[in-house]
Amino acid sequence: MNVHATGSAEIASNLTPKLATVSLPVVGMTCASCVGRVEKALNRVEGVGKATVNLATERADVTLVQPVDQASLVRAIEDAGYEVPGRAITLAIDGMTCASCVARVEKALLAVPGVTSATVNLATERASLSTSGTVADRDLVAAVASAGYEARTVNGNEDDEAHASRKQAEQAALGRDVAIAAILTLPVFVLEMGSHLIPAVHDLVMNTVGMRESWYARGCDRRSGRSAACPASRAAPAACRALLH
């Protein structure tokens, strides 16, 4: 019976939803009446389960029973006559390739109401912002998306590790593509340039591959006698056609 009761309690505990908690700094409180006024204002916001304000630490801890926009909480505090100081936000930006991308992202972020400064670093793919309390993270992400890039908020070391892993995967993919391209390009390079630089290579190609096949390998068109890899065909297509026929 005790084992069954314990198991039921654990299942019930796992099924109980975990409530989200938001902590906000509050400036301007001087007494217990201020604390009560801020708590009352926060508890009136739809979706707030309980709001607890600490005068000593000047922070309001808000327990949410449903998703609530943080900007709504900030507005409630400001309507009560107090202030939520600006906060620093770091965004991870994907898709930037040059200084023009940096300028475009910074311009998009500074256009968001409440953003006081925005600095984008191309090397780290990070945007550092100073904002007022009323700016929502989703507005910043949407602004970056409107500029043609992807953004997400950075939360601790996990995001940094994910970013590093993604960059390593991109570098590995680029290295693999370069190696494949080099392997595929090498035979064409030898056929094209080796015959011009080393007479022995020209003789080897003629005796093994043959004139006609070497032109085919370099992409010479039988009908026009032109080839992107054949300077002579561009200058004298008739001569190139004569070699092919």
Side-chain angles (χ1 to χ4, degrees), residues 147-215:
Y149 306 92
E150 296 181 5
R152 66 186 184 282
T153 55
V154 175
N155 296 313
N157 294 329
E158 292 184 1
D159 285 337
D160 291 337
E161 292 175 359
H163 174 74
S165 299
R166 187 173 62 258
K167 293 300 293 182
Q168 290 177 357
E170 291 177 357
Q171 291 173 358
L174 288 174
R176 183 177 63 252
D177 293 342
V178 169
I180 293 173
I183 293 172
L184 296 177
T185 304
L186 182 60
V188 178
F189 178 81
V190 172
L191 285 174
E192 175 63 28
M193 301 305 298
S195 299
H196 295 293
L197 298 177
I198 305 174
V201 174
H202 174 78
D203 295 337
L204 178 63
V205 171
M206 294 301 101
N207 294 330
T208 57
V209 179
M211 175 68 76
R212 183 185 300 272
E213 287 74 12
S214 68
W215 283 112

Side-chain angles (χ1 to χ4, degrees), residues 222-226 232-245:
R222 286 177 56 88
R223 292 170 297 178
S224 66
R226 296 181 180 274
S233 70
R234 294 194 297 271
C240 188
R241 284 195 296 271
L243 290 172
L244 290 172
H245 295 286

Side-chain angles (χ1 to χ4, degrees), residues 16-151:
T16 302
K18 295 182 179 180
L19 302 180
T21 301
V22 177
S23 182
L24 297 173
V26 182
V27 176
M29 299 184 297
T30 57
C31 61
S33 296
C34 299
V35 170
R37 192 174 296 111
V38 174
E39 289 180 348
K40 184 178 180 180
L42 289 172
N43 284 320
R44 283 199 298 262
V45 177
E46 184 178 358
V48 173
K50 182 180 180 182
T52 303
V53 179
N54 190 312
L55 178 62
T57 60
E58 294 187 322
R59 298 199 70 84
D61 295 320
V62 184
T63 302
L64 307 178
V65 296
Q66 66 184 42
V68 177
D69 187 2
Q70 184 169 316
S72 300
L73 303 176
V74 173
R75 282 194 295 269
I77 295 173
E78 293 177 345
D79 291 342
Y82 304 92
E83 181 183 353
V84 177
R87 59 194 182 108
I89 301 175
T90 300
L91 297 178
I93 312 293
D94 294 329
M96 298 186 299
T97 58
C98 60
S100 296
C101 299
V102 170
R104 194 173 296 116
V105 172
E106 288 181 348
K107 182 178 180 180
L109 289 171
L110 290 172
V112 177
V115 175
T116 57
S117 66
T119 303
V120 178
N121 189 312
L122 179 61
T124 61
E125 296 184 327
R126 292 287 193 269
S128 300
L129 302 96
S130 296
T131 69
S132 64
T134 58
V135 178
D137 293 349
R138 69 168 180 269
D139 294 335
L140 301 174
V141 173
V144 175
S146 66
Y149 306 92
E150 296 181 5

